[in-house]
Amino acid sequence: MVTGDASYIKKINRALIIREIIKEGKISRADLSKITALTRATISAQVADLLEEELVVETELEHNPVGRKPIMLSLNAQAGYALGIDLDAGHATFMLSDLTGHPVTTEIIPIQSEAYEDIVQLLVSAIGRYQSRCAGSRYGMVGIVLAIHGLVSNEETIKFVPRFQWQDVDLKQDLERAVGTAVHLENNANLSAFAERAYAHHTTDNLLCVTLYSGIGLGMIMDGKFFRGHEGFAGEIGHMIVVPGGEPCACGNLGCWEKYASETSVLRNILAAEPGDASDMEWISRRIADGDEQVLDALNQFVYYLSIGLNNVINMYNPDVVVIDSELLRMVPDALQRIHHQLHSQISHYREITLSGMGRKSCVMGACALAISRFLNVPVLSLPSGDDLAD
């Protein structure tokens, strides 16, 4: 039983009720009482507040063969909107979602200049447009979360972004000053992990998400919370050494994992001896279908080194679920079975290794989900998934 002062208990109960309403989609007051173990009086008082705040709406259940039709509660999805932004090399992805995490619109804006001031201006201009678009709703834009492909401190300052060569910049403060509202920064891999937990893996509080695109990142949800480390920089697992004395990495080490198992490195090796027009996943897919030995050998090495790193990560963190986010790995025949066969350690314990169903959208979806979580003050969300959320 939760104990504490009345306002604290009310806050906890409110979060619990909102969480179950979102999770179930539609639910009656009686069922809410059963699931949450809260009294009907508590449910009624809390729901009355939520209805007055227009966060919850009532509908009558259409099909009920016995007795009076129950009144169902659901979240008012259009009461406000969350903006997620993925700031990556060459482009920024913007996703606007409703309060259930359902995407309303997605936009990719090319980044023509990598100068800090130019990127800030691009972000400010786009955020302003989305703020205007949301102004007619009850709560407008409820939150803005920006994904950073680099080191973000616990205070949300940027320590280093290798792709832009940013060091020690306060993007959060600069954006907030320009747009007039709170902006939150988070590491991209953490947001991918948050998306996997919020949209897909509702029954675990210990989840790792390994992203394999330009580098290798590790997002960690442990005991239902981000695992950040001392200053917020935990998860730079791509710079774990898997080949001592191996290929030089931009970080200064030799033989880093991302030099052998990130998509960028693998594709660079495959395409090195190919014509200039051989540069996309569709070309790789055709080569796999044709049984190209060079491509298949490179993919075998990819799976081999990926498995080495996953073995290390699993033994370090003992996760329940490991999600791998990689467009290239989805193209490898029997990829997960091959990974399983190479995890031989008797001390490696996990329940599931799976491929992300969201792909590259996971980061920006996680940004929207985190904005919703902060607005509703519900730390652990279980948002509805749908086919339109996948790549």
Side-chain angles (χ1 to χ4, degrees):
M1 177 181 294
V2 177
T3 59
D5 62 56
S7 62
Y8 175 73
I9 293 174
K10 183 176 181 180
K11 179 180 177 182
I12 295 298
N13 289 341
R14 176 188 172 97
L16 183 60
I17 290 168
I18 293 175
R19 176 182 174 179
E20 292 304 324
I21 291 174
I22 295 173
K23 181 180 177 182
E24 297 299 324
K26 289 185 178 182
I27 189 170
S28 67
R29 288 171 174 80
D31 286 338
L32 262 179
S33 180
K34 291 176 184 177
I35 291 174
T36 62
L38 297 174
T39 66
R40 294 199 176 196
T42 297
I43 295 292
S44 294
Q46 290 273 5
V47 167
D49 289 343
L50 293 172
L51 287 169
E52 184 177 354
E53 296 167 25
E54 298 181 27
L55 284 174
V56 167
V57 294
E58 292 180 316
T59 56
E60 192 175 75
L61 188 64
E62 294 181 6
H63 304 290
N64 190 50
V66 179
R68 193 172 66 182
K69 295 179 181 179
I71 301 299
M72 307 300 286
L73 304 168
S74 58
L75 192 71
N76 182 4
Q78 285 74 48
Y81 298 89
L83 181 63
I85 308 170
D86 181 9
L87 182 60
D88 204 350
H91 63 274
T93 302
F94 296 78
M95 177 179 284
L96 191 70
S97 81
D98 64 23
L99 292 186
T100 66
H102 184 85
V104 175
T105 184
T106 303
E107 177 185 17
I108 298 177
I109 300 178
I111 294 176
Q112 306 293 350
S113 167
E114 294 186 354
Y116 179 76
E117 295 78 10
D118 293 337
I119 292 178
V120 169
Q121 186 53 50
L122 181 151
L123 294 172
V124 168
S125 176
I127 290 170
R129 286 191 288 105
Y130 284 106
Q131 286 176 316
S132 298
R133 176 171 179 171
C134 300
S137 63
R138 174 69 166 81
Y139 292 96
M141 186 177 290
V142 302
I144 303 168
V145 174
L146 179 63
I148 300 297
H149 293 247
L151 301 179
V152 181
S153 74
N154 288 327
E155 290 73 35
E156 299 184 50
T157 58
I158 294 176
K159 183 68 176 177
F160 181 55
V161 177
R163 300 176 196 182
F164 300 133
Q165 290 299 302
W166 291 351
Q167 287 185 288
D168 299 317
V169 297
D170 198 344
L171 179 61
K172 172 183 171 68
Q173 178 178 292
D174 291 338
L175 288 178
E176 289 180 342
R177 186 185 298 116
V179 302
T181 190
V183 177
H184 294 286
L185 271 57
E186 185 56 78
N187 173 265
N188 65 298
N190 280 348
L191 290 174
S192 290
F194 196 82
E196 294 291 344
R197 171 59 184 83
Y199 287 96
H201 300 277
H202 297 160
T203 61
T204 181
D205 289 328
N206 294 280
L207 179 146
L208 302 180
C209 182
V210 183
T211 60
L212 303 179
Y213 294 110
S214 56
I216 298 182
L218 179 66
M220 295 173 281
I221 304 291
M222 308 302 289
D223 295 326
K225 302 176 182 178
F226 286 129
F227 180 81
R228 302 178 186 276
H230 171 55
E231 293 183 314
F233 305 148
E236 293 299 317
I237 203 71
H239 300 289
M240 168 178 61
I241 295 174
V242 296
V243 181
E247 293 186 31
C249 179
C251 77
N253 281 332
L254 301 177
C256 289
W257 191 25
E258 69 177 40
K259 299 301 294 184
Y260 298 86
S262 70
E263 288 192 358
T264 297
S265 295
V266 174
L267 292 174
R268 184 183 298 119
N269 292 336
I270 290 174
L271 302 174
E274 296 297 330
D277 61 347
S279 59
D280 58 22
M281 290 294 183
E282 185 177 341
W283 181 90
I284 297 292
S285 180
R286 291 197 301 270
R287 291 299 195 190
I288 293 173
D290 293 340
D292 186 297
E293 289 189 8
Q294 179 194 356
V295 171
L296 293 176
D297 286 345
L299 294 178
N300 287 337
Q301 287 291 100
F302 171 45
V303 172
Y304 170 72
Y305 284 114
L306 177 58
S307 301
I308 290 175
L310 289 174
N311 176 78
N312 296 343
V313 169
I314 289 167
N315 285 333
M316 279 190 284
Y317 296 106
N318 182 214
D320 182 28
V321 175
V322 179
V323 182
I324 306 171
D325 189 359
S326 168
E327 183 180 355
L328 182 61
L329 194 64
R330 283 193 286 269
M331 298 166 59
V332 177
D334 302 318
L336 292 181
Q337 292 88 330
R338 293 165 65 182
I339 290 171
H340 280 295
H341 290 157
Q342 296 192 55
L343 298 178
H344 304 300
S345 174
Q346 294 298 311
I347 62 171
S348 293
H349 291 283
Y350 58 92
R351 176 170 61 85
E352 180 183 7
I353 295 180
T354 185
L355 286 170
S356 172
M358 288 176 267
R360 290 181 181 268
K361 289 182 181 178
S362 65
C363 174
V364 71
M365 289 169 60
C368 288
L370 184 59
I372 295 167
S373 172
R374 288 175 176 271
F375 170 68
L376 296 177
N377 199 23
V378 179
V380 182
L381 285 175
S382 295
L383 298 172
S385 60
D387 294 338
D388 56 334
L389 299 182
D391 271 351

